[in-house]
Amino acid sequence: MDVGKNMIYKGFLNFEILSGIEHLKNLIEEMEKLLNARTESFLVWLDKTANSLSEDDKEVLYDIYIDEYFDLKKDFPNTLRRAFISLSYSFFENQLKSICKSIDSNYAEKIPKNKNIPNIKLYIDFISKEKDIDLECKSDILKAIDQYRIVRNFLMHGYGLDASKNKNVLEIVKESDELIIENDVLYISQKYVLDFIECIKDYLLYIADNI
């Protein structure tokens, strides 16, 4: 690729990365707002209804709707964030794959088939070798991405259940203020998802600036 075409491609790649990242961030923030609004609306209705009842009937009312409250307050947001961890990881993987294809349309034939190595690692190694750039220098970002990968795989395949039995997940939870385990379920904060999105953005932009 000549210099002029390379500059155009870099500009396009930066735009594609930033627009994709912005879309992910805006989408999760809007979905969180909708869930929060639904929760607040539910609580207003519940309290208004309870105020017209006797103390005994209030207790019955709250017992009836306690599960719905916890669904709105904890389970639904956690399910949403779990989906966005997976979506963000897929975005990252697809961007790496797209970069590989731009380097060599036959990249898939040159990447070793190894089920024990994550695809993103294979793509990164291919880009690094073909473009002769050091992509391992961002070791702090790569470590964080690998931890997100472990959490993503656990959420996807284990549905966040039996978290206390997964040693890798437990180690990551100990290092993060944005992850907690309650009743053996892994809960993730909105900030955890947004931090992951920022992490992949930083790494993709580093690649885009150096290929």
Side-chain angles (χ1 to χ4, degrees), residues 67-183:
D67 287 341
E68 184 172 346
Y69 170 74
F70 278 107
D71 281 345
L72 288 168
K73 192 68 176 176
K74 298 198 70 173
D75 289 343
F76 289 174
N78 202 50
T79 300
L80 174 69
R81 294 161 193 166
R82 188 174 73 198
F84 269 92
I85 287 290
S86 179
L87 184 62
S88 300
Y89 189 89
S90 295
F91 171 80
F92 180 55
E93 186 172 346
N94 286 333
Q95 284 295 319
L96 290 174
K97 188 189 299 185
S98 177
I99 294 170
C100 289
K101 188 175 181 179
S102 74
I103 295 172
D104 188 336
S105 60
N106 296 317
Y107 75 96
E109 299 174 6
K110 299 181 178 181
I111 293 178
K113 303 296 186 292
N114 192 330
K115 292 182 179 180
N116 296 320
I117 301 177
N119 285 339
I120 60 170
K121 169 66 174 169
L122 295 173
Y123 297 149
I124 289 169
D125 287 347
F126 177 81
I127 295 167
S128 180
K129 179 181 178 181
E130 294 296 316
K131 302 301 288 187
D132 192 26
I133 53 176
D134 182 12
L135 296 180
E136 296 292 332
C137 66
K138 297 291 184 179
S139 58
D140 54 335
I141 295 181
L142 286 174
K143 179 184 176 183
I145 288 173
D146 193 55
Q147 290 183 336
Y148 285 117
R149 179 187 64 81
I150 291 169
V151 169
R152 175 258 187 188
N153 287 348
F154 176 69
L155 292 172
M156 287 297 296
H157 305 301
Y159 305 101
L161 306 176
D162 296 328
S164 62
K165 297 177 183 177
N166 190 302
K167 292 181 179 179
N168 291 330
V169 170
L170 281 175
E171 287 299 316
I172 295 170
V173 170
K174 289 177 183 177
E175 296 179 11
S176 176
D177 294 331
E178 306 304 325
L179 298 170
I180 60 170
I181 296 174
E182 289 185 1
N183 299 320

Side-chain angles (χ1 to χ4, degrees), residues 42-55:
F42 171 75
L43 288 176
V44 168
W45 171 83
L46 190 62
D47 287 342
K48 184 177 180 180
T49 303
N51 287 336
S52 64
L53 302 175
S54 67
E55 290 302 316

